[in-house]
Amino acid sequence: MNTQSKQYTPQGPKGSLLSGNLMAYRKDPLQFLTDLQRDYGGAAAIRLGPQKMYVIYDSDLLKELLITKQEHFVKLKAFQEARLFVGDGVATSSGEKHKRVRRLIQPHFTRAHIQTYAGQMADIVDRELHRWKPEQRRSLTDDISNITFAIIAKTLFSLEGDEYARAIREPYETINLMCAERMRVLAAMPLFVPTAKNRAYKAALQSLDRAVYAIIKARRANAEIGEGDLLSVLMAARNDQGEGMTDQELRDELMIMFIAGHETSANALSWAFSYILQQPEVERKLYEEWDRVLQGAPPTAESYMQLTYTQNVLWEAMRLRSPSFFTGRSAVRDVEIGPIQVKRGQSVLFSPYAIHHNPTYFPDPQAFIPERFENDLIKRIPQFAYMPFGGGPRGCIGNHFAMLEMVIALCMIGQRYRLRLTPDHPPIEMEPLMTLRPKNGITVIVDKR
Ligand code: HEM
């Protein structure tokens, strides 16, 4: 696309008079977002109900949205629904508040700092694997979520044990389903209407709140626990007036970390297994790399660097099944993105999932080929042609964290067990909720390696 031309109004599919393209989006959001790129190229205009929005795919436009003009945007208005439970933490807040918290927590997520978590990550995977027994039939997706949740709880908040995990993950499951459903309909039933669904939703929100506030209360009562961890840093922070964060502000930051930090990694890792278990050649190459590099030892921050094929398997899984399958921004003033005139209040979406299926940069886009990431593929293609972690000042803060934990978990599971999909396993389909996950999970038989 010529992004230099003076004016350009992107085109889009004709929708119905009332709901615009909402039905097509609701029916299959992944296909809808992918078809838009195929049919309209770098940018498309759509209408979801009364709201006209743009969906952009072009690298130059993405650069403006996410970097050079990012201060004119806030997180997508449609995510308002999610704010009900995640609140106004670092992933949803804007302006100075966002900058302050992001600056505060950034040191905990640098490449160097993440390395200090490697030992704890490996311990958690080891503990989880001790529960596995040969010939067992297990829900791999649940097991992996347990692992990534326990890793966040321990490394960032010094929490141990299954109790926290249950208290947070169970209500979150209900919320996740309902929130995605509410975001997809034109007008969700207001929460004060006492339908069965609304009641279940509100009860889950309350349970989630109780669990997170209990963590804060326990820490306020005993500040010595977890000295130096992310929670202690959040609690010690003071604003210009010398005031610390309120319980509600802390709750919002914790909630974001729990949710953003465990589900995406769990999905990416589950998708990686879905391909490994169906492509023996990939499995063979992984075993070869683990035997050569690790020689039976658990992976560490140092050996991580040499586990390049393992990393490429994860990059390729996140290309084909980007956990964050779409996101976007809403304009706080009239602004031009390339030649597109975005009006104040209008939203601009982008879909890493669709972008990653562009055959120009990923020939044979549906095929799982980890080797395509060899020889610095990312440096050879335009910025934002591959973007599982988003980009710019609001890109994922946990990208290094996620890669390290996923490599550690993948290696340790594979070093110890040979997994097989259950013989009667249905095809693994995609379920686009808040993130993209395998519908109905993945069930495996565990064999000793
Ligand atoms: C494979 C795993 C992960 C994927 C694919 C992923 C993806 C993303 C993406 C695409 C964004 C940007 C969204 C946007 O631009 O609207 C994001 C933001 C964020 N992620 Fe991740 N993420 C992952 C793991 C993690 C982990 C492990 C953590 C924390 C430990 C984390 C914490 C966050 C936070 C706090 C933000 C908001 C950043 C901000 O707005 O300043 N993520 N993530």
Side-chain angles (χ1 to χ4, degrees), residues 231-361:
L231 180 51
S232 68
V233 168
L234 290 168
M235 285 181 122
R238 296 287 173 266
N239 65 14
D240 296 342
Q241 286 76 48
E243 299 155 344
M245 286 193 189
T246 61
D247 278 4
Q248 179 167 357
E249 285 170 326
L250 285 169
R251 170 232 176 259
D252 291 354
E253 300 304 343
L254 257 74
M255 196 74 91
I256 285 286
M257 284 301 157
F258 275 128
I259 305 305
H262 97 277
E263 175 162 308
T264 39
S265 310
N267 288 343
L269 202 46
S270 297
W271 285 120
F273 272 108
S274 79
Y275 290 105
I276 297 166
L277 298 182
Q278 296 181 78
Q279 289 190 210
E281 181 56 15
V282 174
E283 192 178 44
R284 192 193 63 72
K285 284 187 160 184
L286 283 171
Y287 284 146
E288 186 281 316
E289 179 167 276
W290 298 337
D291 290 344
R292 179 169 44 80
V293 175
L294 300 171
Q295 300 180 9
T300 60
E302 292 73 42
S303 49
Y304 169 88
M305 303 302 289
Q306 294 159 263
L307 294 162
T308 48
Y309 186 72
T310 312
Q311 290 183 39
N312 289 344
V313 165
L314 289 161
W315 291 126
E316 178 69 338
M318 289 193 287
R319 181 186 71 78
L320 276 163
R321 298 288 182 261
S322 185
S324 174
F325 65 97
F326 91 100
T327 176
R329 303 287 184 266
S330 299
V332 289
R333 45 161 284 191
D334 292 357
V335 52
E336 285 175 10
I337 291 295
I340 307 170
Q341 321 283 317
V342 182
K343 294 254 178 306
R344 177 165 171 252
Q346 266 185 343
S347 296
V348 184
L349 312 185
F350 58 97
S351 166
Y353 175 91
I355 289 168
H356 295 171
H357 281 75
N358 186 344
T360 310
Y361 305 118

Side-chain angles (χ1 to χ4, degrees), residues 11 107 201 261 289 322 347 364 385 389 397 399 422 447:
Q11 302 300 299
Y201 192 31
E289 179 167 276
S322 185
S347 296
D364 197 2
F389 294 112
I397 203 169
N399 55 349
T422 50
D447 279 332

Side-chain angles (χ1 to χ4, degrees), residues 399-438:
N399 55 349
H400 303 311
F401 186 106
M403 278 307 286
L404 183 61
E405 69 171 331
M406 292 192 295
V407 165
I408 288 177
L410 182 51
C411 291
M412 289 181 71
I413 295 172
Q415 280 175 309
R416 221 165 293 179
Y417 295 106
R418 186 177 286 266
L419 307 181
R420 294 284 160 252
L421 287 179
T422 50
D424 51 348
H425 207 293
I428 303 169
E429 289 174 18
M430 294 181 276
E431 185 171 42
L433 294 174
M434 298 294 289
T435 58
L436 183 60
R437 66 182 188 181

